[in-house]
């Protein structure tokens, strides 16, 4: 299989098929966060390919890294934008992300708590889960330990 990479608006994409493109890297203030980093975290949490919410989560994390306003407009902007990207509806996005978060909670709660830098008594809500991973990625690129990132 031949892979074709191309640059668009400062971002690198991998062309997979006629309608399918995967962003390879996201430009970020603290450095470059590679999409494979996001998928590695999700896989380690137990959110494997069988969950549709995996791709929705990865895309949500990516666009939230680019625009933190999504944290405040989850059902009005985040879910509809993800749904539009994947040609589905926002309710399906919400449901599938919720399912993926539950899978992560059941599969590897210890790693999720490590990413969150705190103990979690209950499964996180979808936006809390996204926030945990976004914060972890930013903290990782800044090489900041948990206690330093929380103090800021």
């Amino acid at each position: 299989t031949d892979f074709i990479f191309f640059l668009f608006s400062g971002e690198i994409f991998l062309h997979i098929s006629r309608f399918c493109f995967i962003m390879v890297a996201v430009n970020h203030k603290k450095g470059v966060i590679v999409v494979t980093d996001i998928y590695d975290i999700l896989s380690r949490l137990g959110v494997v390919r069988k969950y549709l919410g995996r791709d929705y989560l990865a895309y949500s994390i990516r666009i939230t890294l680019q625009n933190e306003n999504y944290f405040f407009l989850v059902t009005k902007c985040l879910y509809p934008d993800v749904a539009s990207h994947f040609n589905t509806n926002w309710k399906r996005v919400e449901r599938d992300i919720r399912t993926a978060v539950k899978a992560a909670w059941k599969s590897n709660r210890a790693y999720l708590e490590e990413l969150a830098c705190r103990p979690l008594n209950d499964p996180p809500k979808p936006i809390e889960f996204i926030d945990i991973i976004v914060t972890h990625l930013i903290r990782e690129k800044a090489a900041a330990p948990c206690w330093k990132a929380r103090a800021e």
Side-chain angles (χ1 to χ4, degrees):
T1 305
D2 292 330
F3 294 107
I4 300 170
F5 291 90
F6 64 96
L7 186 65
F8 179 75
S9 297
E11 297 174 340
I12 302 169
F13 288 83
L14 169 63
H15 180 255
I16 294 180
S17 69
R18 183 173 169 197
F19 299 109
C20 186
F21 299 90
I22 294 179
M23 182 185 295
V24 177
V26 176
N27 291 328
H28 191 267
K29 295 184 252 188
K30 303 290 185 185
V32 176
I33 295 174
V34 181
V35 171
T36 54
D37 292 345
I38 297 170
Y39 279 104
D40 288 346
I41 291 169
L42 293 175
S43 293
R44 190 166 169 199
L45 285 168
V47 183
V48 293
R49 291 180 188 210
K50 74 176 183 176
Y51 294 104
L52 289 173
R54 173 186 164 105
D55 290 330
Y56 301 157
L57 268 170
Y59 186 73
S60 297
I61 292 163
R62 183 181 71 77
I63 64 175
T64 304
L65 277 164
Q66 293 173 335
N67 183 355
E68 292 186 359
N69 289 327
Y70 280 116
F71 283 120
F72 309 107
L73 302 165
V74 180
T75 55
K76 298 247 188 250
C77 291
L78 180 63
Y79 293 157
D81 286 357
V82 172
S84 174
H85 181 78
F86 288 98
N87 198 27
T88 187
N89 66 56
W90 72 269
K91 289 182 180 184
R92 181 176 181 186
V93 169
E94 180 183 31
R95 182 194 66 221
D96 291 343
I97 287 177
R98 223 177 23 248
T99 301
V101 170
K102 286 179 188 175
W105 177 257
K106 290 178 184 176
S107 180
N108 200 344
R109 179 178 172 179
Y111 182 55
L112 185 57
E113 289 178 336
E114 181 184 323
L115 294 176
C117 297
R118 61 185 164 83
L120 301 170
N121 297 324
D122 299 312
K125 292 177 173 52
I127 195 61
E128 292 169 342
F129 184 86
I130 292 168
D131 182 41
I132 288 168
I133 296 177
V134 165
T135 303
H136 168 76
L137 289 167
I138 292 170
R139 191 175 54 241
E140 185 179 68
K141 292 304 169 192
C146 289
W147 59 270
K148 185 176 179 184
R150 283 193 301 197
E152 296 174 351

